[in-house]
Amino acid sequence: MDPVNFTRVTGFLLLGFSEEPKLQPHIFGLFLSMYLITVLRNLLLIVAVSSDSRLHTPMYFFLSNLSFVDICFTSTTIPKMLQNIQTQSKAITFEGCITQMYFFILFTGLDDFILSVMAYDRFVAICHPLHYTIIMNPRICGLLVLVSWIISHLHSLIQSLMVLRLSFCKDLEIPHFFCELKQMVQLACSDTFINNMVMYCAAVLLAGGPLTGILYSYSKIVSSIRRISSAKGKYKAFSTCASHLSVVSLFYCTLLGVYLISAASQNAHSNAIPSVMYTVVTPMLNPFIYSLRNKDIKGALKRLFGKAA
């Protein structure tokens, strides 16, 4: 296949999950429901944290940021997929594909960094409780979130610029429901060695780094909890980490699962369904996990609905 310059590429085709016409209304209804639940639940959590002065603490500040990122994360991919199903079209413009890929990488990185910042917050709260308010002051909390945004933005910008330098073949079908970086690189007819190197190095540094920080924080947390003499004290200390630990496990297990499936499968189309776990299901479940296991959030939601009533 002859390569063509990327400036002549007008767009791509997102193949999605299935080409069976009878399944399209069911897929549309399922993803519309999950998207609305994700947006409404995360938005509700943000409003609850913002409106209740009892929740103006570092832990809930990071949680509200995570909810905001999750809303943006799902809004990057799902609306375009729903639009394509509704219009019975698979097309996305070249500019739209690059933009979608940019924001998808941005919010994936932000999810990763904010989860690691939340682990650090729990580490300080349990291992250094007397210095917690000094270490986790509002300036440091804001700085941690700002640095996460800057690093994620730079990473996303570099990856997007690396794709722009590629030349693409005539076959521009993406076997996915969104413009995923690896799939786009595989469509290129020009040399992709540098792209692959940057992609894998970034994965090691920007995914492995935060994960290492999370594992280190929880190793210290477990050590501190084991030194607590009373069973009630151990339970109280662990309960402050349980929701975050559940979210972290869900996020990294689904990412690892998608990676293993893509590495083992020769069929690129098979990556679309497992990707739903971390692109749609995880952001949808996060507010439920924090709401169900957190008395403060439950109380804030009750007071919020009480005021509305």
Side-chain angles (χ1 to χ4, degrees):
M1 299 176 71
D2 298 328
V4 294
N5 190 278
F6 74 86
T7 55
R8 291 170 56 191
V9 175
T10 57
F12 297 90
L13 295 178
L14 297 173
L15 300 185
F17 300 102
S18 173
E19 297 182 9
E20 181 63 39
K22 293 181 180 179
L23 292 177
Q24 298 307 310
H26 301 290
I27 294 173
F28 181 87
L30 176 63
F31 278 86
L32 177 61
S33 300
M34 290 194 293
Y35 177 66
L36 292 176
I37 291 171
T38 301
V39 172
L40 292 175
R41 289 294 300 188
N42 280 289
L43 190 60
L44 187 61
L45 197 150
I46 293 172
V47 172
V49 171
S50 302
S51 62
D52 197 321
S53 60
R54 300 176 184 86
L55 302 185
H56 292 174
T57 63
M59 181 174 74
Y60 296 111
F61 169 73
F62 296 133
L63 178 58
S64 59
N65 275 274
L66 180 67
S67 292
F68 173 74
V69 171
D70 281 342
I71 292 172
C72 298
F73 186 39
T74 52
S75 298
T76 301
T77 58
I78 303 302
K80 178 58 181 175
M81 187 194 74
L82 295 176
Q83 180 191 5
N84 282 3
I85 293 175
Q86 188 69 19
T87 59
Q88 297 182 351
S89 170
K90 298 178 181 178
I92 183 171
T93 64
F94 180 82
E95 294 79 8
C97 201
I98 293 293
T99 302
Q100 188 182 68
M101 184 191 69
Y102 169 82
F103 283 108
F104 180 81
I105 297 172
L106 170 65
F107 293 122
T108 303
L110 277 169
D111 253 345
D112 197 13
F113 281 116
I114 290 177
L115 286 174
S116 64
V117 168
M118 293 173 75
Y120 175 69
D121 173 70
R122 292 299 84 205
F123 160 73
V124 176
I126 294 174
C127 300
H128 304 284
L130 298 179
H131 300 93
Y132 178 74
T133 54
I134 299 173
I135 297 174
M136 301 303 296
N137 60 70
R139 180 174 173 275
I140 292 297
C141 293
L143 189 62
L144 288 171
V145 172
L146 178 62
V147 170
S148 299
W149 273 91
I150 292 173
I151 295 174
S152 299
H153 169 73
L154 291 176
H155 170 232
S156 184
L157 184 63
I158 290 170
Q159 295 287 10
S160 300
L161 292 175
M162 292 294 292
V163 171
L164 286 174
R165 59 178 285 276
L166 297 175
S167 297
F168 290 93
C169 302
K170 296 177 182 177
D171 183 11
L172 299 177
E173 294 182 343
I174 299 176
H176 221 305
F177 67 96
F178 65 94
C179 295
E180 198 258 342
L181 173 62
K182 186 178 178 181
Q183 300 287 351
M184 290 190 68
V185 172
Q186 288 176 348
L187 287 177
C189 288
S190 54
D191 182 30
T192 60
F193 175 77
I194 297 177
N195 291 75
N196 288 322
M197 287 296 296
V198 171
M199 191 163 46
Y200 291 127
C201 288
V204 171
L205 293 174
L206 299 182
L211 179 58
T212 302
I214 291 171
L215 294 175
Y216 175 79
S217 296
Y218 274 103
S219 68
K220 293 295 184 182
I221 288 171
V222 170
S223 298
S224 296
I225 291 176
R226 289 179 63 184
R227 289 196 294 268
I228 299 174
S229 56
S230 67
K232 186 178 179 180
K234 289 181 179 180
Y235 174 79
K236 185 178 180 180
F238 178 76
S239 64
T240 64
C241 305
S243 297
H244 177 257
L245 195 56
S246 300
V247 171
V248 168
S249 301
L250 183 64
F251 180 77
Y252 281 102
C253 286
T254 52
L255 272 180
L256 182 61
V258 171
Y259 173 78
L260 293 175
I261 290 171
S262 63
S265 175
Q266 299 297 322
N267 181 13
H269 197 85
S270 64
N271 297 336
I273 296 176
S275 296
V276 175
M277 287 301 298
Y278 77 92
T279 57
V280 184
V281 176
T282 298
M284 181 180 68
L285 292 180
N286 285 350
F288 285 99
I289 292 172
Y290 275 100
S291 300
L292 291 174
R293 298 187 60 91
N294 192 298
K295 293 181 180 179
D296 294 333
I297 294 291
K298 287 181 181 179
L301 290 172
K302 287 180 181 178
R303 286 187 288 272
L304 182 65
F305 285 118
K307 289 178 181 179

